[in-house]
Amino acid sequence: MQIDNIFQMNDWKINKFLKVILSIQISVLGLVLLDNLGVHIPILREIISTIYLLFVPGVLILRIMKMHKLDSVESLLYSVGISIASIMLIGFAINLVYPILKISNPISTVSLLITMAFFVVFLSILSYLRDKDFSEPTFIDTKELLSPTILFLSLFPFLAIIGTYLMNWHKTNIFLILLIILICLIVLLFAYGKIPKKFYPFTIFIVAISLLYHISLISNYVTGWDIQGEYYLADLVIKNAFWNFKLNSTVNAMLSITMVGPIFSIISKISLDWVFKIIYPLIFSLVPLGLYNILKRQTNSEIAFLSAFFFIFLFVFYTEMIALARQEIAEFFLVLLIMLMINKEMEGIKRSFLFIVFGVSLVISHYGLSYIYMLSLFIVYILIWLSDRYDIQKLINFIFKNKHTNHVAFNKKYNVINSTFMIFFITFTIAWYMYVSNSAPLTAILNIGNNILSSISTDFLNPNSVQGLSVIQTQLSTLHMLGKYVHLLSQFFIIIGLFALLSKRNRMNFTKEYLAFLIVNFAVLLAAITLPFFSSSLNTERLYQINLILLAPLCVTGGITVLKIISNYIKPFDFYKISLKLISIFLVFYLLFNTGFVYYVFNDGSTSISLNKTMDSANYNQKEIMAVEWMNTYGFNSSYEKGVVIADEYRTPLTARFKLPVTSFSKVYENRSNWEDMDVYLNQIYPRNRSVYLFFGTRNVFGNSVMIYDKKGVNVVNKEYKSLNNLFFVENKLYDNNGSEVYNLVRI
């Protein structure tokens, strides 16, 4: 039996297509009406509204553009990308226009539903008028949907959901351990050819979403550092039903936070915490799927599959990224831009339109990634311009002594990366960051640039100022050092992969634009371990993860190159098939170290909050949330000038959820011999008429200690718990819920 391929709805007969679209539209409106009448059907509104927002606007616009015969992955990714862009731009437009029309609450249920309904109906009419005659549907065989491979893989997300539930409520990690083992098994099954190629995209998506959920679903509240501030700004939009674009904050300028989160929460009625914990990772799980699509076009299915897994298995993907919601969205748009860049079969006007849509969406999603892309785009344009010059081509041929270089690496065709798009992107980036949020994003990058330039002569290759270099030099336990060597080996493969690509005929079909971006991204990584304050401005791990979007295939091809060299000195063998197996085995170890599985098994300080039952981090429970809510409601009396909160390093991020003024115990304790000196320090920086509140979370209360960071330059060189026995808060307890406490420090 066959069913219509829902991922390629843009190829359906127009009548059936519009019936499905309008059915979803009516379902959303009906479910919202029932909710308002007091009739709530569990989960249904949440699921249908999510499909509606993530898919419907995008697939309608694809139909209007007459974009047909895309494969399932391309159609899905473009639909989701256009839909998210539509949500951000519609939210921005109504936030700007509706107040002029005397509608004071544009970001509210009624305003959003009416606007989205009219938008979808308008697009439906336009799609009918423009594309009513096209009909070449594709089908999915139900036998494939019920195949053992699909059914087996479909269990993975459920293992992640059940496993995190058990970890949250019963401190049992057995299902999460099983999930990691099964993912390793999947890699080995691939190595021995047991996974059909047609299931590669589904496998990548399932593994990605399972790894993301096995961390993001820990706790009922958002987990991590930056995401607490993101939550505050998104929640502020929901509470005010309006986005104040004048707030002086770099994050406030990001519509990926101030529009996407609130609109999803309002229409789907999913709490904002769970929007960040479920919807954002769902979108982010499409990034490796896009990476696979990009690399399959330029290498082959096997290399693309392993490259996507290498990208997924890096711990940053499923740990730090779930605490960076704006970067999750931005990386998705970056992948879409790369997909467009290598797709030279697409008509020029359609590609140009999508370049503009996705480029704008990248800018309004994450300022750091936008600046990196802007700089890369400019350098890539220069490299391509130089490569098209005949004298430069002759020089390259002479250096590499390769008559094929001109044909393979620098084939002169229509350039996808052209001056028009580059100028547009740079202009829009600067304009947006200049006029939104009091120029905070523009000021931030200027300060970073000034910091780098002013210290480059004095701190070049100084580990205290170069975070990337410090990470490499850090001394750890034996097992953790072994994990570090696994990472260094992967980076060695990347280096070999790049030099192999540049020094000989490229048999894989990399486009010249992609090759130029590879070179630029590799240069960025070199800057991360040489330039002071460069990598620390974004964080070294995050910077590395961003660059892996382009550099991931070099790890696989570099590994294959190394094994081919080895095969020349030993008994001949089919090095390609063997190399795929060996690289797969390497990726298994890579995953086991990155997830903290190895450290957990050998009790060597696993930092995984999903495996380590005693792990302390920026991961909060209800009692801690209640304590900070109490401070926000009663402690400051709505006036931030009347107080400041002191908390330890793992509790300070929580205060950002309510934007409370905070300093850390690390700062208070810094360069002081004992806690008694605290009052002297506080008197120096805060007036005596300003209250000082001490906030202790669950770990502080029951452990009678606080986490202190010892920093040297841009690096944390030591983390330790300091006993509270000698901390004198003079028994002035204001709040206690048997899990969190708040004290008012009596000033001497």
Side-chain angles (χ1 to χ4, degrees), residues 90-110:
I90 287 173
F92 173 73
I94 65 176
N95 190 81
L96 201 64
V97 174
Y98 282 9
I100 299 174
L101 303 176
K102 306 303 181 183
I103 301 174
S104 58
N105 53 349
I107 314 299
S108 61
T109 305
V110 175

Side-chain angles (χ1 to χ4, degrees), residues 69-96:
K69 299 181 181 179
L70 304 170
D71 65 35
S72 295
V73 172
E74 282 184 308
S75 180
L76 172 65
L77 296 184
Y78 287 147
S79 296
V80 173
I82 295 171
S83 293
I84 297 172
S86 299
I87 290 169
M88 291 193 291
L89 296 176
I90 287 173
F92 173 73
I94 65 176
N95 190 81
L96 201 64

Side-chain angles (χ1 to χ4, degrees), residues 310 485-495 544 554-555 586 590:
F310 174 61
Y485 293 142
V486 170
H487 279 284
L488 291 175
L489 180 59
S490 68
Q491 290 153 23
F492 170 73
F493 286 157
I494 289 173
I495 295 171
Y544 180 58
L554 296 183
C555 178
F586 168 76
Y590 190 75

Side-chain angles (χ1 to χ4, degrees), residues 62 166 252 269 414 472 480 502 530 576 588 641 665 719:
L62 284 183
L166 292 174
N252 187 60
K269 211 175 181 180
Y414 168 75
I472 294 174
H480 277 76
L502 295 176
T530 56
Y576 182 72
V588 167
E641 293 301 316
F665 277 108
K719 299 179 183 180

Side-chain angles (χ1 to χ4, degrees), residues 25 68 124 283 539:
Q25 172 77 79
H68 298 298
S124 298
I283 297 169
N539 189 293

